[in-house]
Amino acid sequence: MDKKLKIRFGIPHHGWLPVHLKVNKFEFNIEASDVPVNPVNILIEALTRVIHELKSEVWWFLEPAGYYFSFEPLADGNVQFTIEFAKGDGMDAKREQLFILENEKMKDALPFWRNIKEFKSHNYVEPHWPETDAVAFQRLTQLIKSPK
């Protein structure tokens, strides 16, 4: 069965961003905070790292709980994408695995990249959402579009 990943960011409001992710029947909906860091910028860096075959992670902070998107390159060239939840704050809090998907590297990165591109086009500003890192996004875009 083809596991098509869809992700969409909603309209941010005073530092809270709706995040909607769907893979077949699995649906994930949260409102993440931009404190202590902008998770969209962390997602850009995580995708850049996974394209370079480095493990990466995004912390979607809920004050004080959080969700984690993990991207782990596998020996066969695929990437394992995992969603975990932690009740406590901080990167060391105990986590509960909610979802796992193994797929080709670019099939996982493209929906995220397209969503960030669309989100970035709205030019949201404080107090609603901090600016997206244009330089990091451009680096990611070059990696996505470069011939393999």
Side-chain angles (χ1 to χ4, degrees):
M1 176 190 317
D2 185 32
K3 295 184 178 185
K4 187 171 181 177
L5 185 145
K6 297 177 186 176
I7 184 166
R8 180 178 55 82
F9 297 145
I11 297 169
H13 183 71
H14 291 287
W16 292 94
L17 177 66
V19 179
H20 311 282
L21 182 136
K22 184 175 182 180
V23 180
N24 297 336
K25 293 181 181 182
F26 175 81
E27 291 191 42
F28 175 81
N29 297 290
I30 61 168
E31 288 199 14
S33 175
D34 64 355
V35 174
V37 295
N38 179 348
V40 175
N41 287 340
I42 302 302
L43 179 59
I44 291 168
E45 292 300 325
L47 295 171
T48 299
R49 288 178 53 83
V50 80
I51 289 170
H52 287 298
E53 299 181 358
L54 299 170
K55 185 176 179 178
S56 59
E57 184 170 77
V58 181
W59 181 24
W60 299 94
F61 192 54
L62 305 181
E63 298 181 21
Y67 286 91
Y68 296 84
F69 286 6
S70 298
F71 302 88
E72 184 171 353
L74 303 173
D76 63 4
N78 289 340
V79 172
Q80 181 174 289
F81 169 64
T82 307
I83 299 175
E84 297 174 310
F85 174 74
K87 287 183 182 177
D89 70 1
M91 299 294 279
D92 296 329
K94 184 175 177 176
R95 299 181 188 187
E96 172 190 355
Q97 189 176 81
L98 303 177
F99 179 77
I100 190 165
L101 172 68
E102 185 178 317
N103 210 334
E104 294 176 36
K105 180 177 2 186
M106 294 314 298
K107 283 187 180 179
D108 279 344
L110 281 172
F112 289 101
W113 175 79
R114 288 182 185 123
N115 182 58
I116 296 166
K117 181 179 176 184
E118 192 279 328
F119 179 76
K120 188 178 175 325
S121 74
H122 294 286
N123 295 314
Y124 295 113
V125 295
E126 300 279 4
H128 297 294
W129 199 255
E131 186 176 348
T132 303
D133 186 335
V135 173
F137 183 73
Q138 184 58 36
R139 276 194 313 262
L140 175 62
T141 299
Q142 290 171 344
L143 287 169
I144 295 272
K145 292 185 173 185
S146 68
K148 307 302 176 246

